[in-house]
Amino acid sequence: MEYTKPLQKLIEYFQKLPSIGPKTAQRLALHILKMDKSEVENFAGAMIEAKTTIKYCSNCFNISSSDPCEICSSISRNKETICVVSEAKDLIAIEKTNEYNGLYHVLQGLISPIDGIGPDDIKVKELLNRVHKENIKEIILALNPSVEGEATALYLSKLLKPFGIKVSRIAYGIPLGSELEYTDELTLIRALESRLEM
Amino acid sequence: MEYTKPLQKLIEYFQKLPSIGPKTAQRLALHILKMDKSEVENFAGAMIEAKTTIKYCSNCFNISSSDPCEICSSISRNKETICVVSEAKDLIAIEKTNEYNGLYHVLQGLISPIDGIGPDDIKVKELLNRVHKENIKEIILALNPSVEGEATALYLSKLLKPFGIKVSRIAYGIPLGSELEYTDELTLIRALESRLEM
C-alpha cells in the first residue's frame, strides 16, 4: 500500500526542495494535512505571491520588490565599495552584522566547471559594467571558502586588477568561539597563512 | 535590511513546518524563487489538492481518498487482527514490511496529559466500537516506545482485557545491525526483560 495519489504528489514536491529527504518530505506533507484549510491556502498563496511579485534589482541582482533595490537607491550607503556575494542569503548574513555600509553585487552563483557553470552564467559581466560606470574604489569578495568560491574569487580578482581599484577578500580563519583543537587542517593552514602582526 | 515582505511571509510559513528551523526555511523559500513559475503553481496546487481531497477512513482513520479505505475494504486481508498505530506514517512503515496482512486502527495521536491530550481526544472509543462489532481475535499495539506510547499502550490493554481477546505489543529490543556497545541502557534493559528462550 502506498499513500493516496494527491498525498504522494505533495510528498514528491517537498522532496524536490534542497536538504529535504524522503522521510522529512513525508512528515511535512502529513503536517499539511493536519493544518487548517485556510492556513494551507495562505501558505500556497504565499508561495505564488513570492514567486510572482519578487524581482531582482537590475543593478546589483539582489532580491527586491523595487528596482533598483533599497540598498542601491539608499542615499546613506557608501557608493564607493561593492561587496560581491554569491547569493542573496549571503548578503542578508552580512547585512545582519550591521558593520558594512557599502553596496553589493549578487553573482547569483559561482563558477563551477563541473556543473557547467562558467563566468557567462553568473553576473560577472554586470559587475564589470558597474566598475566601469560607477565610481568604485574597492571590491570586497565575500564568497564561500569552497573550491567554486575560490575559483570565482581568483577569476574576478584577475579581471578587476586592470581597473586599478583595491580588490580584497574576507579573511578565512578560525571562527570565534571555536577551539583550535577541533578546527580542521585546511582552516588552520589558512589561519596561519593569514596571520596578522600585533 | 530584511527580506522583502512576500519572501519574509513565505519563510515564516516554511518555519511553521515541523523540523524546519529559520535557516532551512530561508533556504527553502529562496529555492521557491528559483523554481519555474509553473512548478511553483503546481506545488501550491498539490498542497491545496492534498488538503481538500484527502479524507480519513471512518472505520480505521487511515488517510484515504475512499471511505472505507483500501485496507478496510480489501477482501484479501485478515479481518480478525487489528494493528493499532498512532499515526498514518506508522501504518505505512508497517505496510512496507509486507509482513502484516490484518487491519489497522490509527489513533491519530497518543495520550499525553502534559499536552492535554486524553483518551477522548484520540480514536480510542472508535477502537472499542470496532472490537464490539467486528469479529476481532487479536489487537497488536504498535506504538512508539516513548512515555506517551507506553501510557497509551497500558491504557488500551486495560480497556481491551475484558473483551477476552489477545492483546499484544510489538517487541522492544536491540535493532538489527546495531551494536550492543552503543545501545542505550533503557533499550538494553528492555531487551533483557523480553529475552526469548532458544
Side-chain angles (χ1 to χ4, degrees), chain A:
Chain A
M1 189 229 162
E2 277 286 297
Y3 283 117
T4 55
K5 243 196 182 150
L7 185 55
Q8 197 56 46
K9 218 167 79 185
L10 184 58
I11 292 174
E12 277 159 26
Y13 273 112
F14 271 117
Q15 219 177 312
K16 282 185 192 163
L17 298 177
S19 76
I20 303 293
K23 286 261 172 188
T24 310
Q26 183 182 307
R27 194 187 313 152
L28 298 180
L30 287 172
H31 184 84
I32 295 288
L33 294 189
K34 283 191 172 179
M35 282 164 60
D36 286 341
K37 199 184 157 200
S38 63
E39 250 200 315
V40 175
E41 287 166 347
N42 288 341
F43 189 178
M47 224 180 238
I48 293 173
E49 193 194 347
K51 177 66 194 171
T52 49
T53 63
I54 289 171
K55 307 271 172 284
Y56 293 96
C57 170
S58 60
N59 191 43
C60 75
F61 300 97
N62 180 23
I63 290 167
S64 174
S65 45
S66 60
D67 188 11
C69 72
E70 256 178 80
I71 296 177
C72 284
S73 55
S74 162
I75 48 162
S76 65
R77 314 243 355 170
N78 168 8
K79 310 259 183 198
E80 299 185 331
T81 313
I82 294 180
C83 178
V84 178
V85 293
S86 155
E87 302 284 351
K89 57 189 167 198
D90 302 329
L91 183 157
I92 294 287
I94 294 172
E95 279 297 281
K96 277 185 179 156
T97 67
N98 279 323
E99 270 298 311
Y100 178 72
N101 192 36
L103 303 177
Y104 288 94
H105 189 83
V106 183
L107 291 175
Q108 297 195 343
L110 290 169
I111 296 172
S112 173
I114 297 174
D115 303 314
I117 302 172
D120 295 340
D121 300 313
I122 60 176
K123 307 294 180 189
V124 169
K125 206 173 58 228
E126 291 80 355
L127 174 63
L128 297 181
N129 275 342
R130 289 181 67 184
V131 177
H132 258 301
K133 284 185 209 154
E134 301 174 30
N135 182 28
I136 306 300
K137 299 237 164 92
E138 181 176 1
I139 300 273
I140 302 170
L141 302 175
L143 305 174
N144 280 334
S146 60
V147 178
E148 293 79 16
E150 297 274 82
T152 309
L154 217 70
Y155 179 83
L156 288 178
S157 70
K158 273 187 188 162
L159 278 183
L160 292 166
K161 238 171 208 164
F163 289 96
I165 53 174
K166 190 176 166 191
V167 179
S168 60
R169 201 199 59 202
I170 53 165
Y172 301 157
I174 303 164
L176 273 80
S178 72
E179 297 188 41
L180 263 186
E181 189 184 350
Y182 302 120
T183 308
D184 66 289
E185 286 169 38
L186 279 176
T187 304
L188 262 185
I189 292 170
R190 287 308 194 90
L192 281 168
E193 281 173 357
S194 317
R195 65 190 180 278
L196 297 172
E197 225 172 294
M198 296 188 63

Side-chain angles (χ1 to χ4, degrees), chain B residues 44-96:
Chain B
M47 225 178 239
I48 292 174
E49 193 195 346
K51 177 66 194 170
T52 50
T53 65
I54 288 172
K55 307 269 173 284
Y56 294 95
C57 170
S58 61
N59 191 42
C60 74
F61 301 97
N62 180 24
I63 290 167
S64 175
S65 45
S66 60
D67 187 11
C69 73
E70 257 178 80
I71 295 177
C72 285
S73 55
S74 163
I75 48 162
S76 64
R77 312 231 15 157
N78 168 6
K79 308 260 181 196
E80 300 185 332
T81 313
I82 294 181
C83 178
V84 178
V85 294
S86 156
E87 302 284 351
K89 56 190 169 200
D90 302 330
L91 183 159
I92 294 286
I94 294 173
E95 279 297 281
K96 278 185 179 155

